[in-house]
Amino acid sequence: MMGASGLFQPLAEHLDGLIDLRAFDYPGHGRSPDWQGDDLHGVVTRHAASLIDRPLDLIGHSFGATVALRIAVGAPHAIRSLTLVEPVLFAAASTPAQQAQTARLAPFEASGDWDGMLRRFLSDWGSPGAEIPTDGPRAARLRQQMRMVVDTNEALMQDRARILREGGLEQIEAPVMLIAGADSPPIVHEIADALAARLPDVARATIPDAGHMLPLTHAAAFADLTRMNLERA
């Protein structure tokens, strides 16, 4: 969300041909068509699933990590390994943590302050010090993407895709690697705790001095952990 498939270019460079990587832009992102207001999580999941013709390795970041989990729960036989960076499946966190997360953006939504919401959101989840444009096409697209975030957050809070359904995570036999940045929002660690407690074959890693955008800021460490999980598979 609010990124593009180029997020995985540093990973590809560090893995140096170890595996073939295929990444795609979400609707309203990168070079994909505009979002039409439909169920984004469902659209992305169906597209990703359509690319699977044999057991393979899924690597997901943030929203994408929840998509990877959804596929793995629905078709565990299709997954060889899962490498997940901070899946934002907020429903797995405690109610107080969910409420605190909602409260971070609620005042801006209530007042219609999309630029203020962008600054707050990217201060939590973006790259440190990244410039946020306020004019021009890039700024307009960021505001539209922010609306997508607001719409999908509710689905992730309520787990509308039923990723956390009874017995679902427990059926994933493939090795899972949960990666987090030490400086990321606290809720991501709580989510990882909840997921790890239910996954049969799980490893965890926390990268020091890293935040949510660690695939870009700490690409070498991310690649090392990804390679470790690929070898486990």
Side-chain angles (χ1 to χ4, degrees):
M1 293 290 285
M2 305 194 77
S5 54
L7 174 80
F8 292 100
Q9 186 61 37
L11 174 68
E13 293 171 358
H14 282 284
L15 290 180
D16 193 27
L18 177 65
I19 54 172
D20 294 327
L21 287 172
R22 184 170 187 176
F24 57 90
D25 297 325
Y26 296 156
H29 291 69
R31 291 179 291 175
S32 289
D34 288 341
W35 180 53
Q36 301 302 316
D38 42 14
D39 170 20
L40 183 68
H41 206 280
V43 168
V44 174
T45 300
R46 287 191 292 274
H47 180 74
S50 73
L51 304 177
I52 300 175
D53 58 6
R54 65 188 187 283
L56 49 66
D57 309 287
L58 290 185
I59 304 168
H61 171 256
S62 194
F63 181 91
T66 71
V67 171
L69 265 179
R70 181 175 180 176
I71 293 172
V73 168
H77 59 279
I79 308 304
R80 187 169 61 185
S81 74
L82 279 176
T83 303
L84 306 176
V85 180
E86 301 196 359
V88 287
L89 187 55
F90 298 122
S94 66
T95 298
Q98 292 182 44
Q99 292 172 338
Q101 180 62 33
T102 300
R104 297 283 292 172
L105 301 181
F108 300 100
E109 184 178 8
S111 63
D113 182 4
W114 292 100
D115 287 348
M117 187 186 295
L118 265 172
R119 287 190 291 271
R120 170 59 58 81
F121 179 82
L122 293 177
S123 70
D124 291 341
W125 303 99
S127 296
E131 183 178 352
I132 304 172
T134 56
D135 296 302
R138 175 61 179 151
R141 193 159 213 212
L142 281 173
R143 293 185 189 107
Q144 179 61 28
Q145 290 171 350
M146 192 70 246
R147 289 174 169 83
M148 296 172 66
V149 169
V150 171
D151 286 348
T152 55
N153 267 2
E154 186 176 355
L156 295 172
M157 289 284 184
Q158 299 177 5
D159 187 25
R160 290 180 182 166
R162 299 188 65 243
I163 298 169
L164 299 173
R165 61 184 178 268
E166 185 176 355
L169 294 171
E170 290 79 3
Q171 294 183 41
I172 301 174
E173 297 181 354
V176 181
M177 173 71 77
L178 292 172
I179 304 171
D183 298 338
S184 291
I187 195 170
V188 302
H189 304 289
E190 194 171 307
I191 292 169
D193 288 343
L195 297 177
R198 295 182 53 189
L199 290 164
D201 185 357
V202 61
R204 294 184 62 178
T206 301
I207 299 178
D209 302 317
H212 188 63
M213 295 303 292
L214 66 87
L216 289 177
T217 62
H218 293 70
F222 176 36
D224 287 344
L225 292 166
T226 300
R227 184 182 295 107
M228 186 184 304
N229 204 42
L230 293 170
E231 290 172 352
R232 293 174 63 218

